[in-house]
Amino acid sequence: MSKDLINKILITLGFILLYRLLAYVPVPGVNIDVVKEFFDSNANNALGLVNMFSGNAVERLSIISLGIMPYITASIIMELLAATFPALGKMKKERDGMQKYMQIIRYTTIVITLIQSIGVSMGLNSLTGQSGQSAISIDMNTFVAVSAISMLTGTMLLMWIGEQITQKGIGNGISLIIFAGIVSAIPSAIGGTIDLVNNGQMNFLTVIAILVIILATVGAIIYVELGERRVPVSYSRKVMMQAQNKRVMNYIPIKVNLSGVIPAIFASAILMFPATVLQGSQNKYLVAIADYLSPTSYTFNVFMFLFVVFFAFFYASITFNAKDIAENLKKQGGFIPGVRPGASTSEFLNETASRLTFWGAIYLGLISTVPWLLVKAMGVPFYFGGVAVLIVVQVAIDTMRKIEAQQYMNKYETLSAVGL
C-alpha cells in the first residue's frame, strides 16, 4: 500500500473511533440505568432496531442517540423533491448548485433533529424504572432544552464525521457510520445468544441453523453485488489508432443492483420514524399502530419489502443516466454493435438497466425480509433481519472496491513516473 492510501485508511479508522467514543457521552440530566432498563424490555420492537443502527447509543441516551437517521431522512426528502421539481434537479447537477443543495439538506437535518430530540425528551418525562425512579434527574424544561441542544450537536458531529470520511478517507462516510454501529453490536448479540443457550431458552441446533441462514444471506449478497451485465462497445478504427497506448473500455458495466445499500437504509429510516414516535403513546389506537409497525410484525416486513423495491427503482433512475452515457459514447466514437448511436443507444441502455433493476429490487426486498421470516419460523426470541447483514456486506464490498481502485491508481501513477 502507498503512504497516501495508508493515511486515508488511518483517517477513516480515526473518525470511526471518534464516532464510537461519542456513543458513550450521555445527555446531561438522564438516569442511564432507567433508560437501559426500558430498552432491554423493548429489544424486539422498533426501539431495538433503532438501538441496533445507533450502535447501542440509544440505550445509553448519548448525544448521538438519534444517529445519522435525521440526515438520511433529509436526504430522502430532497431526493424526492429533486425528482419532482426540475429546477431543484437542475441545481443538483450544477457544481455551485450542488453546494446549495447540500446546504439545504443540512438545514433540513437541523429541523428534523430538533423535532425528534424534543419529542424524545418529553417522552422521557413519563418513563420510570421498576423501583419508581424517574429517567430525568433535573427540571423538565431545563432538560428539554439541554437534551435538544446536546442531540443536535451530536447529529451535526456525525454528519461532519461522515463528510470528512467521504472527502479525506476511504468509502462513503454515512454508510460506514451505520456499518460501524451495526458491527459494534455484534459482540453483545453473540453474548446474548450464548446466554439463551446456557439458560435453555434456545437449542444449540437452532444456533447452527441461524449461522447457516447468515452465511447463506452473506453468500447471496456477495454473489448478486458482484454480478453485472457487460454491454459490448466497439470503437472506430481512427479512435483505436489514437488510443494505442491508452486503456479503452470495450464494454459498459451495468450492475444488477444499481442502487446499492441506499434502498434498505431509506426504507428503514421511514419505517422506524413513526414506530419510534408512537412507541411512547398510551392511546390504544396508536399503540395498535405501533405494534403493526414493530420489526417483529409481518406488516413491518411487508412495508419493508415494498419500500425497498420502490427506492431501488427510484434511486437507480437517479444514479444511472443512459442519455449521458449514450452522448459520451457518441463523442468518443464508440457504439454498441447492432444499436444506432444517440437516442437508440440511450433507449437500449434504459431497457437493459430497467430489466436488471427489476431483479435487483426483488433481490433487495427478499434479503431485507426473508431471513427474518426464517428465524421467526424457528421461534427465536430476538429480532434478526437481513437489512443489517445487507448493509454490513455491501458497505464492506464497496469499501474494498475503493481501496483496490486507489491501489490501481497509485500503481499506474508509479508506472507513468517511471516511464517519464
Side-chain angles (χ1 to χ4, degrees):
M1 290 187 185
S2 67
K3 185 177 180 181
D4 181 54
L5 179 57
I6 292 173
N7 288 337
K8 287 185 176 182
I9 293 174
L10 291 175
I11 288 171
T12 302
L13 293 175
F15 278 117
I16 291 176
L17 176 61
L18 176 60
Y19 157 64
R20 293 308 305 151
L21 290 175
L22 289 173
Y24 290 87
V25 180
V27 171
V30 173
N31 190 329
I32 300 176
D33 293 333
V34 175
V35 176
K36 191 175 187 308
E37 181 183 299
F38 172 73
F39 274 93
D40 286 342
S41 62
N42 288 275
N44 295 329
N45 55 34
L47 292 175
L49 188 60
V50 172
N51 190 42
M52 180 191 69
F53 275 100
S54 69
N56 295 332
V58 177
E59 69 178 22
R60 305 184 191 99
L61 206 71
S62 77
I63 60 173
I64 60 167
S65 294
L66 298 179
I68 202 67
M69 286 303 172
Y71 178 80
I72 294 173
T73 305
S75 300
I76 295 171
I77 294 171
M78 289 302 295
E79 291 285 3
L80 292 172
L81 290 176
T84 306
F85 299 101
L88 191 60
K90 185 179 179 182
M91 181 181 75
K92 182 185 173 184
K93 293 179 181 179
E94 298 171 353
R95 186 173 182 180
D96 294 336
M98 187 61 183
Q99 294 179 353
K100 295 180 181 178
Y101 181 85
M102 293 304 298
Q103 200 66 21
I104 294 172
I105 290 180
R106 293 187 186 101
Y107 288 134
T108 308
T109 302
I110 292 174
V111 174
I112 294 173
T113 303
L114 285 174
I115 293 173
Q116 290 187 349
S117 60
I118 292 172
V120 170
S121 304
M122 294 179 69
L124 286 172
N125 188 40
S126 59
L127 183 64
T128 55
Q130 292 182 351
S131 57
Q133 69 271 36
S134 175
I136 302 172
S137 58
I138 59 176
D139 177 67
M140 179 60 188
N141 294 330
T142 305
F143 174 74
V144 170
V146 171
S147 177
I149 294 171
S150 300
M151 290 185 183
L152 176 61
T153 303
T155 299
M156 292 297 104
L157 279 172
L158 283 188
M159 190 172 67
W160 176 78
I161 289 172
E163 290 177 353
Q164 293 303 306
I165 291 175
T166 303
Q167 293 171 10
K168 300 177 182 179
I170 289 287
N172 183 288
I174 303 301
S175 298
L176 281 172
I177 286 174
I178 299 174
F179 169 88
I182 295 172
V183 170
S184 67
I186 290 177
S188 61
I190 294 174
T193 304
I194 293 173
D195 290 339
L196 290 173
V197 174
N198 292 335
N199 295 333
Q201 298 180 34
M202 185 183 294
N203 194 311
F204 185 71
L205 293 176
T206 304
V207 176
I208 295 176
I210 293 174
L211 289 175
V212 171
I213 292 171
I214 294 173
L215 292 174
T217 303
V218 171
I221 292 170
I222 293 173
Y223 180 78
V224 177
E225 289 303 315
L226 297 179
E228 61 183 21
R229 165 77 186 278
R230 295 183 175 183
V231 180
V233 176
S234 296
Y235 291 90
S236 64
R237 184 178 179 83
K238 181 180 178 181
V239 172
M240 294 302 293
M241 292 295 290
Q242 291 174 347
Q244 282 183 0
N245 298 322
K246 297 179 182 178
R247 182 172 180 268
V248 179
M249 180 74 74
N250 59 354
Y251 63 86
I252 300 173
I254 305 177
K255 293 180 62 178
V256 176
N257 179 23
L258 284 167
S259 51
V261 73
I262 299 298
I265 296 175
F266 278 11
S268 298
I270 288 177
L271 288 172
M272 284 193 295
F273 180 76
T276 305
V277 171
L278 295 173
Q279 196 65 43
S281 175
Q282 301 299 321
N283 184 289
K284 62 178 182 179
Y285 298 107
L286 295 180
V287 170
I289 294 173
D291 291 338
Y292 277 116
L293 292 177
S294 170
T296 55
S297 69
Y298 291 102
T299 311
F300 177 92
N301 284 273
V302 169
F303 279 120
M304 173 65 76
F305 181 87
L306 295 176
F307 277 131
V308 166
V309 170
F310 168 75
F311 280 119
F313 276 99
F314 173 74
Y315 203 74
S317 66
I318 296 173
T319 56
F320 187 81
N321 194 324
K323 186 177 179 181
D324 287 350
I325 295 173
E327 288 179 357
N328 291 333
L329 198 62
K330 188 176 181 180
K331 289 176 183 177
Q332 294 170 3
F335 61 93
I336 299 172
V339 182
R340 295 182 62 182
S344 297
T345 298
S346 176
E347 185 179 343
F348 175 80
L349 291 174
N350 263 328
E351 289 178 358
T352 303
S354 296
R355 288 196 296 269
L356 290 174
T357 301
F358 172 78
W359 294 110
I362 298 297
Y363 141 76
L364 282 176
L366 292 176
I367 287 294
S368 301
T369 54
V370 170
W372 172 83
L373 293 172
L374 294 174
V375 170
K376 187 167 179 71
M378 293 187 293
V380 175
F382 59 79
Y383 174 75
F384 170 78
V387 175
V389 181
L390 178 67
I391 292 173
V392 168
V393 176
Q394 280 195 346
V395 172
I397 291 174
D398 181 62
T399 305
M400 288 302 299
R401 279 175 169 170
K402 288 180 178 176
I403 291 174
E404 288 176 358
Q406 186 73 33
Q407 286 178 316
Y408 282 124
M409 187 174 69
N410 292 334
K411 189 182 294 183
Y412 287 133
E413 287 177 355
T414 303
L415 290 174
S416 298
V418 172
L420 290 173

